[in-house]
Amino acid sequence: MIRPVTEQEQNEQRKNALRAALAASPVPVPDDLLNAVAGLFVTDTLDVLRAHPGFDLEDKLRSIRTTLQLFDQAFADLQDALAAFDAFSRQPEFHYRSHRAQHDIIERSIRKEIFTFSELAHSLQDHCRRVNSRWKSSLITPRIPTCFGDDGLHDFVCGLRTALHHLLMLDANWAIRGSGAAATSHYLFDLRELQDANPSWNERARRFLAAQTENIDIGTLTPVYHQRVHEFYDAILDEADANPPAEVADYRRCWNAHQRRSARMAWNFMLTQYQNHGIDPYLYLDRYLLPAELETVRRLPDRSRTQVDFIIRALDELSACDNALRLKIYRLFGVPEEAASRDPTEAVDL
């Protein structure tokens, strides 16, 4: 007796067929294939789109974006920790034995963020190499010396990661310079300890260390390196957005089609709930609009097409609102029939 195919098995067969079709398809993929993929549940769409020719490179670009955001957060947290110590160093209790625990907490935070900062700098480099293996951007190779220079700072930061991660967790020294309101605190790595901590510093990093005095000031070094990183990666990511490889552009087209479809379904569901329960949408605008957007809405005539068009533009980040959906929104907000019945594509700009 033949066992009937379960719904789960049918779904997996359908997904396998779509995966095979995507893998074999030229780009852009045909509209019927795009619509079939876009119509899946979100997790199934993500799963199937892994077979798209543009997935691998898009995933590598996404990794750079995500790591760059984490790098920014590590930099901000490090600056906050350094500022916290600087503020603490100005207080009379800074030298009290009873406040030594507070000193230690701040210093541990700084050490953690230096570790994270250097680790993420190294990760960005690795992610960039993986992107470069798939996409020969015209900006990557020529911008390395332009953005990072040849002073060895980049090699030092990545080498510091190796030292901290694999070899030795270095201690640092504090220096309080000046007095009174003009006093400043400095978190310093000893140059000789740095040189001894990593026998494998490359030539550029050694050149950087040789050019330093007896200490390296983390508070001075990290902002310079952070700016260089953004000069490099912002240009590459901007190019990937403005002029992506054909397979990446098509991957994004497929994923955006799914997102628009999902957003349209969510909007229709919400509109139905509001209408069925007689809910006034104006009572809930503060849940969806930013304060500046809400202020603009309040300046426009209530239940006017101009006002509702503005609300749609603010919320429709995926351009999911089609003509039928726009008419439903007009009815929900009570836009007069005469105004609502005009061509819905003639949205009024402010």
Side-chain angles (χ1 to χ4, degrees):
M1 181 177 179
I2 299 177
R3 180 179 64 84
V5 178
T6 66
E7 184 177 350
Q8 181 178 357
E9 290 171 334
Q10 290 177 341
N11 184 53
E12 194 59 38
Q13 290 172 0
R14 182 165 58 252
K15 286 165 45 178
N16 286 337
L18 290 173
R19 288 190 194 99
L22 279 174
S25 174
V27 293
V29 302
D31 286 345
D32 58 341
L33 180 54
L34 179 149
N35 292 331
V37 174
L40 298 173
F41 186 70
V42 58
T43 54
D44 290 338
T45 297
L46 286 169
D47 184 15
V48 168
L49 278 177
R50 295 179 69 87
H52 190 284
F55 167 79
D56 182 65
L57 180 53
E58 173 68 352
D59 203 41
K60 288 176 170 58
L61 289 167
R62 179 197 56 76
S63 294
I64 289 183
R65 288 191 184 89
T66 301
T67 306
L68 186 60
Q69 291 169 351
L70 295 175
F71 178 78
D72 286 341
Q73 188 63 57
F75 173 72
D77 291 345
L78 175 57
Q79 297 306 303
D80 288 346
L82 290 169
F85 190 92
D86 187 66
F88 180 46
S89 71
R90 300 170 188 273
Q91 305 303 315
E93 57 268 25
F94 176 72
H95 299 285
Y96 296 175
R97 179 174 177 272
S98 58
H99 285 71
R100 189 178 299 164
Q102 184 176 352
H103 180 292
D104 291 344
I105 289 171
I106 296 175
E107 183 160 7
R108 284 198 299 271
S109 177
I110 292 170
R111 293 176 70 177
K112 175 178 73 72
E113 298 308 334
I114 291 172
F115 179 87
T116 305
F117 181 87
S118 61
E119 182 75 35
L120 288 165
H122 195 281
S123 294
L124 277 169
Q125 174 183 268
D126 290 343
H127 290 314
C128 186
R129 286 171 176 165
R130 283 190 283 271
V131 166
N132 198 40
S133 70
R134 286 290 315 278
W135 174 46
K136 297 302 180 184
S137 165
S138 61
L139 298 180
I140 292 180
T141 300
R143 288 188 71 83
I144 291 176
T146 301
C147 296
F148 289 112
D150 59 359
D151 59 1
L153 174 58
H154 169 71
D155 300 271
F156 166 73
V157 172
C158 290
L160 180 62
R161 172 262 181 192
T162 301
L164 297 177
H165 189 86
H166 295 293
L167 301 173
L168 184 68
M169 187 59 72
L170 297 167
D171 290 324
N173 300 312
W174 282 102
I176 308 297
R177 297 171 181 166
S179 60
T184 56
S185 62
H186 302 266
Y187 192 80
L188 307 172
F189 278 128
D190 181 84
L191 187 58
R192 180 171 296 179
E193 290 184 7
L194 283 170
Q195 290 170 328
D196 293 343
N198 183 4
S200 301
W201 293 110
N202 68 24
E203 182 58 36
R204 289 184 297 272
R206 288 196 194 97
R207 198 162 58 241
F208 174 81
L209 290 169
Q212 308 307 307
T213 57
E214 62 185 61
N215 295 308
I216 289 182
D217 189 335
I218 291 298
T220 301
L221 178 149
T222 49
V224 173
Y225 184 72
H226 179 258
Q227 180 178 350
R228 292 187 185 187
V229 165
H230 268 282
E231 287 175 356
F232 182 73
Y233 288 102
D234 286 351
I236 293 169
L237 292 174
D238 285 348
E239 183 188 14
D241 286 339
N243 188 30
E247 67 271 25
V248 170
D250 193 60
Y251 175 89
R252 294 173 182 173
R253 181 177 74 100
C254 294
W255 174 238
N256 289 339
H258 167 78
Q259 287 189 298
R260 283 192 296 273
R261 179 182 180 277
S262 297
R264 199 170 293 126
M265 291 174 63
W267 278 54
N268 274 302
F269 176 80
M270 183 179 68
L271 289 170
T272 299
Q273 294 300 307
Y274 272 56
Q275 290 167 343
N276 290 345
H277 294 86
I279 298 172
D280 183 355
Y282 284 99
L283 299 177
Y284 298 92
L285 288 180
D286 60 342
R287 297 186 181 184
Y288 303 100
L289 296 175
L290 300 176
E293 294 168 342
L294 194 58
E295 183 61 32
T296 299
V297 168
R298 288 168 175 162
R299 291 199 304 266
L300 296 171
D302 279 351
R303 310 194 187 284
S304 68
R305 175 169 168 165
T306 301
Q307 183 193 57
V308 177
D309 281 340
F310 176 82
I311 294 171
I312 293 172
R313 284 198 302 275
L315 297 180
D316 190 17
E317 298 173 340
L318 299 171
S319 299
C321 187
D322 56 16
N323 294 349
L325 187 55
R326 185 179 294 272
L327 289 173
K328 290 182 181 179
I329 297 171
Y330 285 161
R331 285 195 292 270
L332 177 66
F333 277 87
V335 174
E337 185 67 27
E338 181 181 354
S341 62
R342 296 201 308 267
D343 182 354
T345 62
E346 297 176 1
V348 179
D349 289 328
L350 298 179

